[in-house]
Structure formats: C-alpha cells, structure tokens
Amino acid sequence: MAQERERGITIQSAAVTFDWKGYRVNLIDTPGHVDFTLEVERCLRVLDGAVAVFDASAGVEAQTLTVWRQADKHKIPRICFLNKMDKTGASFLYAVESIREKLKAKPLLLQLPIGEAKTFKGIVDVVSKEKLLWNPNSEDGKDFERKPLLEMSDPELLKKTLEARNSLIEQVADLDDEFAALVLEEFSENFDLLPAEKLQAAIHRVTLAQTAVPVLCGSALRNKGVQPLLDAITMYLPSPEEREYEFLPWYKGDLCALAFKVLHDRQRGPLVFIRIYSGTLKPQLAIHNVNGNCTERVSRLLLPFADQHVEIPSLTAGNIALTVGLKHTATGDTIVSSKSSALAAARQARKEGEKKHRQNSDADRLLLAGVEIPEPVFFCTIEPPSVAKQPDLDHALKCLQREDPSLKVKLDPDSGQTILCGMGELHIEIIHDRIKREYGLETYLGPLQVAYRETILNSVHATDTLDRTLGDKRHLVAVELEARPTDAPSVEPVIEYAESISEDLLKASQEAIESGIHSACLQGPLLGSPVQDVAVTLYSLTVHPGTSTTMISACVSRCVQKALKKADKQVLEPLMNLEVTVTRDHLSPVLADLAQRRGNIQEIQTRQDNRVVIGFVPLAEIMGYSTVLRTLTSGSATFALELSSYQAMSPQDQSMLLSQRSGSA
C-alpha cells in the first residue's frame, strides 16, 4: 500500500508463496502496530507456524507481548529471529534474556553472532559447528561461505560454540524423552559425536510441542542470516500434515477451507484469501459457504506474490490462495465443496461426538473457529464533502468494513452523523487516507459529538391556551398538566391522564396529545438534547368543537415545553465502562490521568503481573485516550470500553458545558 511505503510500517498483512530447497512456503507478513491487532489475529488463525521477529537492541517490546499471547491462544509453534544485529546497541544476550524473562519462554540458542552492532559479520551454526560469513561487498546477501570451525583457525570461537552446543543438548534432553534416552545410551561420554540430524529432529519435536523456542539471529536489511532462517523454518516448524485439526477426518479429503481476509481490487472486485485444510480447490467450481449458507463460484485462482498475482489451475491442502469471484464471503467464513459434503461431515462429527459425549449443535462444530474481533476503542465522526457524495461514502465504508472487520460504522440517531469506531488514531487516519486515495473522496473527520440527555429534578405545573381563527374556523384548546421526574429510568416520557378527563375526548384526541408530548421531549430547554426520565400528567383539556388535532398537539407540546423550562434542569452525560490492563510500574500515572478525566475507579484487580483497573469515565473525556494511554505506559497497556449508562453531571461541569455551547467559553 502507498501508506505503508510512506510510513515504513506494515498495515495490512501481505502474503507471498515461494519454494525453498524443495519445500513450498506460504509466508504471511503481519503488522506489528497495536492498531492492527486484528490483522495478526486473523492470520495466526490459519497459520501452522510463526517466526517472531525481534529488534536485537530492544528485545521484547510491548507489542511483542500482545502478539505472543495471540500465538499462545492459537497454539502456534514458533521460532524467534533477532533482527538488526548490525544496529548500534544490538545485544544478542540481552535480547535472549528478555525472551526468557518477559515471555516466560525457553530459548534454544541455535546460532551465535560473530561480532555485534558495527562488527557483525556472520553467525555460527551451533548445531553443525560451522561458521557462516557474508561477503561485505555483496549488497543482497546472496554471497556467503559456510566453513567448519577448526581448532587451528578459531580456537576461541570453537570453545564458545561447543559450550553452547552442550548446553543446547542438555536443554533439549530435558524436554524430549526420546532424545534424552539416545544421549544417555550412546553419547553420554562425548556430546561432540552426537550427529546434527538427531539433534535437529529433537529440536523439531520440542518446537512442535511448544515447550521451547529456537532462537536465530541476523540482519534482514543486508539479508545476513536469512538463508539459515529459511532452512530453520523448513526444518523445525510444522508442515500442514503435522498439525492436528479435529475436523479433518470428517471431510475425508473433501474440500474444507477458511476465508481469512478480503481485499477490494479495482478491476477484479473482492479478492478473498483462503487457507485450504483439506481437498483441492479449482477455478469455475461452485463452493458452499457454511456461515452464509449460500453457494458461490470461484472464477479464478491466484497465487499471491505481495502485489503481483500468478494464476494457477488448482491448489491442494495446506496452501493459501487468492480467489476471485466470491461476492458474499467475509472474514472467518468456512468454505466446503457442497451442501451435501457439509451434511456428510456433520453426520461424521455427530458419530464421533457421541463417542466422546459432546453436546454441540452440528452447525457449530462444522464452522471452523472464526476470528475474534476486538472491540473498538477510538471513535470519531466522518462527513462527506457534500450530501450528494453520501452514497459514495457509504459504499466506500461498506467495502472497507468488509476488508477490515475491526472498523465499525454506526449512524448516531441523535445527531444523524456517521461515526467511525476503530482500534486507534492511526487506524482511523489510515482509513481516512484510503477513502481519499482509493475512492477519491475528500472526507472530514470531526470529534465525536457527545449525545447528552436532559431531565428535570422537581415537579412543575403549567397551563396553556391556544386560540386561533383560521378562515372561518375557530380553534381553541386549553391545557393544564404537570411534569415530574420518574422514579425508574425511562427514555420515553411516561404519560398519565387524570380521572376528570372524559373518555370520549380521550378517544378523539389521545394520539394528538401523545405526539405533542413526545415532540416536546425531543428537544430539551438546556442543550436541545432529548429529555428522558420525565412523567407528564394531563389534568384538564378543553377543546372547542371543530378544533383540528394538529392544534391540540401544538398546544400540548407548547405547554410541556413551558413546564420543562420552569423546572430545575439537569444534563445527563453518557458514561463508559472502562477496563485498563496495565503493568504494575505504570499503574500510578494511569490512575492520575483517569482522575483528571473525571474517572470513577470501582476496583483494581491483579491478573498475573498486571493490574486491571475497572471504572467509569464520561464519554466526553475519552477523546484520544488510546494515544495518551500508550504514551503513559510505553505502549504496554490495553483497554476496553462500552457504554454503561447516563449519569447526571455535577453543577460546575454542567455550567462549563453550557457556557462552551453558548460560545462564551
């Protein structure tokens, strides 16, 4: 994307398929920024293994923790790659230590760097006792040599490597019984004789069991250490056959796939990324979408190469493909070859379920777990340049929402504005930018208009008379009523009638009376916001014969407005339920900041090493909170928001708000 090139960060996950030493690798690059967590979530959902990339000078950073937890949730085996070994301040040991400390993982050092920061020139392969040196003159890193370590030329390096290899063997033996037995039986005297293949097989098993993570290092900018990383991916991470999925036997080789991402292409329409779990996919075939319960046709199959695509005739299980022609498929949909295939699989699932005494509905069992979509935390309004462009903006937002489920679009019934709800300031900024570039619309983002409500605090009597002569007809209405606060909260006004009002009169004009009261409560006397928690009792109503119902309605409405104006008025503001997860060290600045935002802290819980702050904060004070919170906690905190209720504002806050609204602030 143009935005990615400008900012130098990943925003959307991109896929590429390549072959390496006889293996087919499907690689997906995901963003690291916290605003694009959903991209990581939906890609991890379909991957078999992952490479976690670290900055060797920074070690584990805040977002690394988030992504690591996501991988834990999906039980994905992973390898760590310490990148930027040639950057000033890079430290191999510090980075490894931070993996051990912060991620609570067991790092297996399969490589040692030769030199660090400016002096970084190659790596040592601990498993095979070889050194790899890159030619300093070659820019793209293709030119490197692999030499065995010898006592003659590198006595120091060999000694360090042997120590590292022995401790690696001990670590792996602790975690893998089969390997431990082999070491004890044959190589307990001398670890050096242990063949590399046996050690590699054991590391592979340990990685799949997720009891430890292999650690490699290099510098991606110069392509140093990338070839051994690719070897490690093919050697230690699982192939699709090695991952066990409970639903695979039900399909018995029939097509079963998961759509995990949708992109909109100008020429081709929606492109859907699909991971195939079993069976084969061919173009021009009809497929059945289990979630949408509809049948669609794949017109073309493409292999992704970042922004270029290659057309292919068919694709087998374990691969990732781009399909053209699926109009209704969205992120997280399960795709099978036909409805009958889905039913056959459901029967199979039921048989197995009975063996294990499981009580799930068949449809749920068939759906591959979709993608959990995080709740939005950042809100703002978006407006088109003119009313005529509103349909274009709606279309653009609909397409963007289909691509990115973490973007929510709502219509505010109070102000009629379109509200964007996203994962953060950067997220919304990118959406705004994309609407401009891809759809050619100059939109305006504004702060969220907070939907205040109003109420009254005491009961008030009011009377009103309307006497008009229109043409030769006289319209005369006299009303007496009382407005008072209700005991229980109610959005609509509660309407009661005194016994003195005759039933005939009520029958004829009840609708007019009620519409008058409702319309008076739509705009309160303070801010023009809707009035809630009000009960209106009608004591007397006299109507001259021949008076139109519109006049009755107008008179009642005017009378209610009079009553509301006379009463003591109160503004209600929306309150958000807030839950902030923060580390112990950053707790006090977060609490201080919440106090400034008129926050009300209910409780602080402990969750492992973190604190969870639970409380209420007015919606008006939460503008831009995601950015402030990241600044305060160096990006380590996360938070969740939801609308809780409306609450009365304090008198000083209310007078400030009113003076701001009237423009005297």
Side-chain angles (χ1 to χ4, degrees), residues 179 187 209 217 223 228 236 238 271 280 298 322 334 344 346-347 351 361 367 388 405 484 502 517 534 601 607:
F179 182 67
F187 304 104
C217 64
N223 274 336
Y236 304 127
L271 303 177
T280 47
V298 178
L322 260 179
T334 306
R347 282 197 296 276
K351 273 187 204 158
S361 74
L367 295 180
R484 63 173 201 285
S502 73
I517 294 176
V534 170
I601 311 289
R607 194 182 291 165

PDB file of all heavy atoms in Angstrom, residues 179 187 209 217 223 228 236 238 271 280 298 322 334 344 346-347 351 361 367 388 405 484 502 517 534 601 607:
ATOM      1  N   PHE A 179      14.988 -38.191  22.917  1.00  0.00           N
ATOM      2  CA  PHE A 179      16.344 -37.672  22.708  1.00  0.00           C
ATOM      3  C   PHE A 179      17.206 -37.926  23.954  1.00  0.00           C
ATOM      4  O   PHE A 179      18.373 -38.299  23.855  1.00  0.00           O
ATOM      5  CB  PHE A 179      16.264 -36.170  22.397  1.00  0.00           C
ATOM      6  CG  PHE A 179      17.595 -35.527  22.116  1.00  0.00           C
ATOM      7  CD1 PHE A 179      18.321 -35.870  20.986  1.00  0.00           C
ATOM      8  CD2 PHE A 179      18.126 -34.571  22.975  1.00  0.00           C
ATOM      9  CE1 PHE A 179      19.544 -35.281  20.708  1.00  0.00           C
ATOM     10  CE2 PHE A 179      19.356 -33.983  22.707  1.00  0.00           C
ATOM     11  CZ  PHE A 179      20.061 -34.335  21.574  1.00  0.00           C
ATOM     12  N   PHE A 187      25.800 -41.305  23.800  1.00  0.00           N
ATOM     13  CA  PHE A 187      26.740 -40.183  23.721  1.00  0.00           C
ATOM     14  C   PHE A 187      26.994 -39.519  25.068  1.00  0.00           C
ATOM     15  O   PHE A 187      27.385 -38.366  25.136  1.00  0.00           O
ATOM     16  CB  PHE A 187      26.212 -39.131  22.725  1.00  0.00           C
ATOM     17  CG  PHE A 187      25.950 -39.694  21.361  1.00  0.00           C
ATOM     18  CD1 PHE A 187      24.658 -39.954  20.926  1.00  0.00           C
ATOM     19  CD2 PHE A 187      27.010 -39.987  20.502  1.00  0.00           C
ATOM     20  CE1 PHE A 187      24.419 -40.483  19.673  1.00  0.00           C
ATOM     21  CE2 PHE A 187      26.768 -40.503  19.238  1.00  0.00           C
ATOM     22  CZ  PHE A 187      25.476 -40.759  18.821  1.00  0.00           C
ATOM     23  N   ALA A 209       5.964 -29.227  20.190  1.00  0.00           N
ATOM     24  CA  ALA A 209       5.297 -29.381  21.486  1.00  0.00           C
ATOM     25  C   ALA A 209       5.169 -28.034  22.188  1.00  0.00           C
ATOM     26  O   ALA A 209       4.539 -27.930  23.234  1.00  0.00           O
ATOM     27  CB  ALA A 209       6.098 -30.354  22.350  1.00  0.00           C
ATOM     28  N   CYS A 217      19.602 -15.498  14.622  1.00  0.00           N
ATOM     29  CA  CYS A 217      19.849 -14.059  14.551  1.00  0.00           C
ATOM     30  C   CYS A 217      20.339 -13.673  13.154  1.00  0.00           C
ATOM     31  O   CYS A 217      20.696 -14.529  12.347  1.00  0.00           O
ATOM     32  CB  CYS A 217      20.851 -13.638  15.613  1.00  0.00           C
ATOM     33  SG  CYS A 217      22.465 -14.355  15.376  1.00  0.00           S
ATOM     34  N   ASN A 223      20.234  -8.886   4.330  1.00  0.00           N
ATOM     35  CA  ASN A 223      19.985 -10.315   4.074  1.00  0.00           C
ATOM     36  C   ASN A 223      21.036 -11.214   4.690  1.00  0.00           C
ATOM     37  O   ASN A 223      21.374 -12.253   4.135  1.00  0.00           O
ATOM     38  CB  ASN A 223      19.906 -10.592   2.562  1.00  0.00           C
ATOM     39  CG  ASN A 223      18.499 -10.358   2.052  1.00  0.00           C
ATOM     40  OD1 ASN A 223      17.550 -10.435   2.824  1.00  0.00           O
ATOM     41  ND2 ASN A 223      18.362 -10.055   0.792  1.00  0.00           N
ATOM     42  N   PRO A 228      19.853 -19.221   6.520  1.00  0.00           N
ATOM     43  CA  PRO A 228      19.707 -20.215   7.606  1.00  0.00           C
ATOM     44  C   PRO A 228      18.331 -20.138   8.288  1.00  0.00           C
ATOM     45  O   PRO A 228      17.825 -21.149   8.770  1.00  0.00           O
ATOM     46  CB  PRO A 228      20.808 -19.852   8.599  1.00  0.00           C
ATOM     47  CG  PRO A 228      21.625 -18.788   8.003  1.00  0.00           C
ATOM     48  CD  PRO A 228      21.052 -18.383   6.691  1.00  0.00           C
ATOM     49  N   TYR A 236      12.254 -26.951  11.374  1.00  0.00           N
ATOM     50  CA  TYR A 236      11.694 -27.025  12.732  1.00  0.00           C
ATOM     51  C   TYR A 236      10.197 -26.711  12.827  1.00  0.00           C
ATOM     52  O   TYR A 236       9.527 -27.171  13.725  1.00  0.00           O
ATOM     53  CB  TYR A 236      12.451 -26.079  13.677  1.00  0.00           C
ATOM     54  CG  TYR A 236      13.930 -26.351  13.716  1.00  0.00           C
ATOM     55  CD1 TYR A 236      14.854 -25.343  13.498  1.00  0.00           C
ATOM     56  CD2 TYR A 236      14.404 -27.643  13.961  1.00  0.00           C
ATOM     57  CE1 TYR A 236      16.216 -25.610  13.520  1.00  0.00           C
ATOM     58  CE2 TYR A 236      15.759 -27.914  13.979  1.00  0.00           C
ATOM     59  CZ  TYR A 236      16.671 -26.891  13.750  1.00  0.00           C
ATOM     60  OH  TYR A 236      18.012 -27.164  13.771  1.00  0.00           O
ATOM     61  N   PRO A 238       6.163 -26.822  11.810  1.00  0.00           N
ATOM     62  CA  PRO A 238       5.370 -27.964  11.327  1.00  0.00           C
ATOM     63  C   PRO A 238       4.919 -27.784   9.876  1.00  0.00           C
ATOM     64  O   PRO A 238       4.672 -26.672   9.434  1.00  0.00           O
ATOM     65  CB  PRO A 238       4.136 -27.933  12.242  1.00  0.00           C
ATOM     66  CG  PRO A 238       4.039 -26.535  12.717  1.00  0.00           C
ATOM     67  CD  PRO A 238       5.427 -26.008  12.781  1.00  0.00           C
ATOM     68  N   LEU A 271     -11.232  -9.761  -3.596  1.00  0.00           N
ATOM     69  CA  LEU A 271     -10.315 -10.910  -3.608  1.00  0.00           C
ATOM     70  C   LEU A 271     -10.363 -11.522  -2.212  1.00  0.00           C
ATOM     71  O   LEU A 271     -10.175 -10.824  -1.224  1.00  0.00           O
ATOM     72  CB  LEU A 271      -8.884 -10.443  -3.875  1.00  0.00           C
ATOM     73  CG  LEU A 271      -8.612  -9.660  -5.159  1.00  0.00           C
ATOM     74  CD1 LEU A 271      -7.154  -9.228  -5.201  1.00  0.00           C
ATOM     75  CD2 LEU A 271      -8.902 -10.524  -6.366  1.00  0.00           C
ATOM     76  N   THR A 280      -9.042 -30.227  -2.651  1.00  0.00           N
ATOM     77  CA  THR A 280      -8.410 -29.302  -3.599  1.00  0.00           C
ATOM     78  C   THR A 280      -9.433 -28.281  -4.067  1.00  0.00           C
ATOM     79  O   THR A 280     -10.634 -28.550  -4.078  1.00  0.00           O
ATOM     80  CB  THR A 280      -7.867 -30.029  -4.854  1.00  0.00           C
ATOM     81  OG1 THR A 280      -8.886 -30.903  -5.308  1.00  0.00           O
ATOM     82  CG2 THR A 280      -6.611 -30.794  -4.581  1.00  0.00           C
ATOM     83  N   VAL A 298     -16.064 -19.783  -7.755  1.00  0.00           N
ATOM     84  CA  VAL A 298     -14.732 -19.193  -7.843  1.00  0.00           C
ATOM     85  C   VAL A 298     -14.405 -19.030  -9.324  1.00  0.00           C
ATOM     86  O   VAL A 298     -14.369 -20.019 -10.049  1.00  0.00           O
ATOM     87  CB  VAL A 298     -13.678 -20.136  -7.206  1.00  0.00           C
ATOM     88  CG1 VAL A 298     -12.288 -19.560  -7.338  1.00  0.00           C
ATOM     89  CG2 VAL A 298     -14.022 -20.386  -5.751  1.00  0.00           C
ATOM     90  N   LEU A 322      -5.568 -16.896  -3.364  1.00  0.00           N
ATOM     91  CA  LEU A 322      -6.455 -15.753  -3.542  1.00  0.00           C
ATOM     92  C   LEU A 322      -7.538 -16.189  -4.509  1.00  0.00           C
ATOM     93  O   LEU A 322      -7.235 -16.725  -5.568  1.00  0.00           O
ATOM     94  CB  LEU A 322      -5.673 -14.630  -4.220  1.00  0.00           C
ATOM     95  CG  LEU A 322      -5.153 -13.515  -3.352  1.00  0.00           C
ATOM     96  CD1 LEU A 322      -4.402 -12.542  -4.230  1.00  0.00           C
ATOM     97  CD2 LEU A 322      -6.293 -12.806  -2.681  1.00  0.00           C
ATOM     98  N   THR A 334     -16.373 -20.372   6.715  1.00  0.00           N
ATOM     99  CA  THR A 334     -15.924 -21.722   6.373  1.00  0.00           C
ATOM    100  C   THR A 334     -16.463 -22.084   4.990  1.00  0.00           C
ATOM    101  O   THR A 334     -17.636 -21.841   4.702  1.00  0.00           O
ATOM    102  CB  THR A 334     -16.471 -22.723   7.404  1.00  0.00           C
ATOM    103  OG1 THR A 334     -16.082 -22.270   8.688  1.00  0.00           O
ATOM    104  CG2 THR A 334     -15.918 -24.108   7.161  1.00  0.00           C
ATOM    105  N   ALA A 344     -22.634 -34.428   5.191  1.00  0.00           N
ATOM    106  CA  ALA A 344     -21.923 -35.689   5.447  1.00  0.00           C
ATOM    107  C   ALA A 344     -20.930 -35.495   6.586  1.00  0.00           C
ATOM    108  O   ALA A 344     -20.819 -36.333   7.492  1.00  0.00           O
ATOM    109  CB  ALA A 344     -21.202 -36.136   4.179  1.00  0.00           C
ATOM    110  N   ALA A 346     -21.148 -33.317   8.924  1.00  0.00           N
ATOM    111  CA  ALA A 346     -21.894 -33.128  10.170  1.00  0.00           C
ATOM    112  C   ALA A 346     -22.281 -34.479  10.770  1.00  0.00           C
ATOM    113  O   ALA A 346     -22.204 -34.683  11.982  1.00  0.00           O
ATOM    114  CB  ALA A 346     -23.136 -32.294   9.907  1.00  0.00           C
ATOM    115  N   ARG A 347     -22.667 -35.427   9.879  1.00  0.00           N
ATOM    116  CA  ARG A 347     -23.035 -36.766  10.375  1.00  0.00           C
ATOM    117  C   ARG A 347     -21.826 -37.433  11.017  1.00  0.00           C
ATOM    118  O   ARG A 347     -21.909 -38.031  12.081  1.00  0.00           O
ATOM    119  CB  ARG A 347     -23.572 -37.622   9.220  1.00  0.00           C
ATOM    120  CG  ARG A 347     -25.013 -37.293   8.848  1.00  0.00           C
ATOM    121  CD  ARG A 347     -25.620 -38.418   8.011  1.00  0.00           C
ATOM    122  NE  ARG A 347     -24.946 -38.574   6.720  1.00  0.00           N
ATOM    123  CZ  ARG A 347     -25.242 -37.843   5.650  1.00  0.00           C
ATOM    124  NH1 ARG A 347     -26.185 -36.912   5.715  1.00  0.00           N
ATOM    125  NH2 ARG A 347     -24.602 -38.027   4.505  1.00  0.00           N
ATOM    126  N   LYS A 351     -21.240 -38.729  14.931  1.00  0.00           N
ATOM    127  CA  LYS A 351     -20.808 -40.066  15.355  1.00  0.00           C
ATOM    128  C   LYS A 351     -19.684 -39.946  16.374  1.00  0.00           C
ATOM    129  O   LYS A 351     -19.694 -40.561  17.429  1.00  0.00           O
ATOM    130  CB  LYS A 351     -20.300 -40.856  14.144  1.00  0.00           C
ATOM    131  CG  LYS A 351     -21.387 -41.586  13.405  1.00  0.00           C
ATOM    132  CD  LYS A 351     -20.744 -42.474  12.346  1.00  0.00           C
ATOM    133  CE  LYS A 351     -21.712 -42.786  11.216  1.00  0.00           C
ATOM    134  NZ  LYS A 351     -21.011 -43.169  10.000  1.00  0.00           N
ATOM    135  N   SER A 361     -24.165 -28.250  18.801  1.00  0.00           N
ATOM    136  CA  SER A 361     -25.001 -28.359  17.604  1.00  0.00           C
ATOM    137  C   SER A 361     -24.074 -28.597  16.418  1.00  0.00           C
ATOM    138  O   SER A 361     -22.955 -28.095  16.386  1.00  0.00           O
ATOM    139  CB  SER A 361     -25.803 -27.088  17.415  1.00  0.00           C
ATOM    140  OG  SER A 361     -24.957 -26.083  16.953  1.00  0.00           O
ATOM    141  N   LEU A 367     -18.381 -25.280  11.616  1.00  0.00           N
ATOM    142  CA  LEU A 367     -17.749 -23.995  11.345  1.00  0.00           C
ATOM    143  C   LEU A 367     -16.368 -24.033  11.958  1.00  0.00           C
ATOM    144  O   LEU A 367     -16.213 -24.338  13.131  1.00  0.00           O
ATOM    145  CB  LEU A 367     -18.546 -22.875  12.007  1.00  0.00           C
ATOM    146  CG  LEU A 367     -19.949 -22.696  11.431  1.00  0.00           C
ATOM    147  CD1 LEU A 367     -20.650 -21.574  12.145  1.00  0.00           C
ATOM    148  CD2 LEU A 367     -19.885 -22.387   9.966  1.00  0.00           C
ATOM    149  N   ALA A 388     -24.537  15.086  -1.618  1.00  0.00           N
ATOM    150  CA  ALA A 388     -24.627  14.256  -2.828  1.00  0.00           C
ATOM    151  C   ALA A 388     -23.615  13.111  -2.792  1.00  0.00           C
ATOM    152  O   ALA A 388     -23.811  12.081  -3.427  1.00  0.00           O
ATOM    153  CB  ALA A 388     -24.382  15.128  -4.057  1.00  0.00           C
ATOM    154  N   PRO A 405     -12.756  -6.042   9.537  1.00  0.00           N
ATOM    155  CA  PRO A 405     -13.877  -6.146  10.478  1.00  0.00           C
ATOM    156  C   PRO A 405     -13.661  -5.360  11.773  1.00  0.00           C
ATOM    157  O   PRO A 405     -14.599  -5.170  12.522  1.00  0.00           O
ATOM    158  CB  PRO A 405     -13.950  -7.646  10.775  1.00  0.00           C
ATOM    159  CG  PRO A 405     -13.185  -8.303   9.690  1.00  0.00           C
ATOM    160  CD  PRO A 405     -12.143  -7.337   9.254  1.00  0.00           C
ATOM    161  N   ARG A 484     -43.078  15.792  35.971  1.00  0.00           N
ATOM    162  CA  ARG A 484     -42.287  15.465  37.172  1.00  0.00           C
ATOM    163  C   ARG A 484     -41.254  14.396  36.837  1.00  0.00           C
ATOM    164  O   ARG A 484     -41.417  13.654  35.855  1.00  0.00           O
ATOM    165  CB  ARG A 484     -43.204  14.993  38.299  1.00  0.00           C
ATOM    166  CG  ARG A 484     -43.952  13.725  37.974  1.00  0.00           C
ATOM    167  CD  ARG A 484     -44.736  13.179  39.169  1.00  0.00           C
ATOM    168  NE  ARG A 484     -45.008  11.769  38.974  1.00  0.00           N
ATOM    169  CZ  ARG A 484     -45.923  11.301  38.142  1.00  0.00           C
ATOM    170  NH1 ARG A 484     -46.632  12.124  37.407  1.00  0.00           N
ATOM    171  NH2 ARG A 484     -46.107  10.007  38.026  1.00  0.00           N
ATOM    172  N   SER A 502     -62.723  13.269  30.176  1.00  0.00           N
ATOM    173  CA  SER A 502     -63.746  12.333  29.686  1.00  0.00           C
ATOM    174  C   SER A 502     -63.169  11.379  28.644  1.00  0.00           C
ATOM    175  O   SER A 502     -62.268  11.736  27.893  1.00  0.00           O
ATOM    176  CB  SER A 502     -64.908  13.111  29.068  1.00  0.00           C
ATOM    177  OG  SER A 502     -64.484  13.635  27.815  1.00  0.00           O
ATOM    178  N   ILE A 517     -46.640  15.601  23.325  1.00  0.00           N
ATOM    179  CA  ILE A 517     -45.713  15.408  24.462  1.00  0.00           C
ATOM    180  C   ILE A 517     -44.378  14.860  23.960  1.00  0.00           C
ATOM    181  O   ILE A 517     -43.312  15.316  24.352  1.00  0.00           O
ATOM    182  CB  ILE A 517     -46.356  14.469  25.515  1.00  0.00           C
ATOM    183  CG1 ILE A 517     -47.578  15.152  26.128  1.00  0.00           C
ATOM    184  CG2 ILE A 517     -45.350  14.103  26.583  1.00  0.00           C
ATOM    185  CD1 ILE A 517     -48.366  14.301  27.109  1.00  0.00           C
ATOM    186  N   VAL A 534     -38.914  11.523  32.429  1.00  0.00           N
ATOM    187  CA  VAL A 534     -39.940  12.525  32.747  1.00  0.00           C
ATOM    188  C   VAL A 534     -41.319  11.877  32.634  1.00  0.00           C
ATOM    189  O   VAL A 534     -41.574  11.109  31.713  1.00  0.00           O
ATOM    190  CB  VAL A 534     -39.853  13.719  31.756  1.00  0.00           C
ATOM    191  CG1 VAL A 534     -41.059  14.640  31.913  1.00  0.00           C
ATOM    192  CG2 VAL A 534     -38.592  14.508  31.987  1.00  0.00           C
ATOM    193  N   ILE A 601     -13.038   5.235  39.771  1.00  0.00           N
ATOM    194  CA  ILE A 601     -12.445   3.885  39.801  1.00  0.00           C
ATOM    195  C   ILE A 601     -13.258   2.992  40.736  1.00  0.00           C
ATOM    196  O   ILE A 601     -13.449   3.319  41.903  1.00  0.00           O
ATOM    197  CB  ILE A 601     -10.978   3.932  40.310  1.00  0.00           C
ATOM    198  CG1 ILE A 601     -10.181   4.998  39.581  1.00  0.00           C
ATOM    199  CG2 ILE A 601     -10.332   2.559  40.196  1.00  0.00           C
ATOM    200  CD1 ILE A 601      -9.852   4.728  38.164  1.00  0.00           C
ATOM    201  N   ARG A 607      -3.963  -9.467  37.792  1.00  0.00           N
ATOM    202  CA  ARG A 607      -4.012 -10.569  36.832  1.00  0.00           C
ATOM    203  C   ARG A 607      -2.579 -10.894  36.451  1.00  0.00           C
ATOM    204  O   ARG A 607      -1.946 -10.141  35.725  1.00  0.00           O
ATOM    205  CB  ARG A 607      -4.828 -10.135  35.620  1.00  0.00           C
ATOM    206  CG  ARG A 607      -5.226 -11.264  34.709  1.00  0.00           C
ATOM    207  CD  ARG A 607      -5.989 -10.752  33.494  1.00  0.00           C
ATOM    208  NE  ARG A 607      -7.314 -10.220  33.825  1.00  0.00           N
ATOM    209  CZ  ARG A 607      -8.025  -9.472  33.000  1.00  0.00           C
ATOM    210  NH1 ARG A 607      -7.549  -9.160  31.817  1.00  0.00           N
ATOM    211  NH2 ARG A 607      -9.205  -9.020  33.353  1.00  0.00           N
TER     212      ARG A 607
END
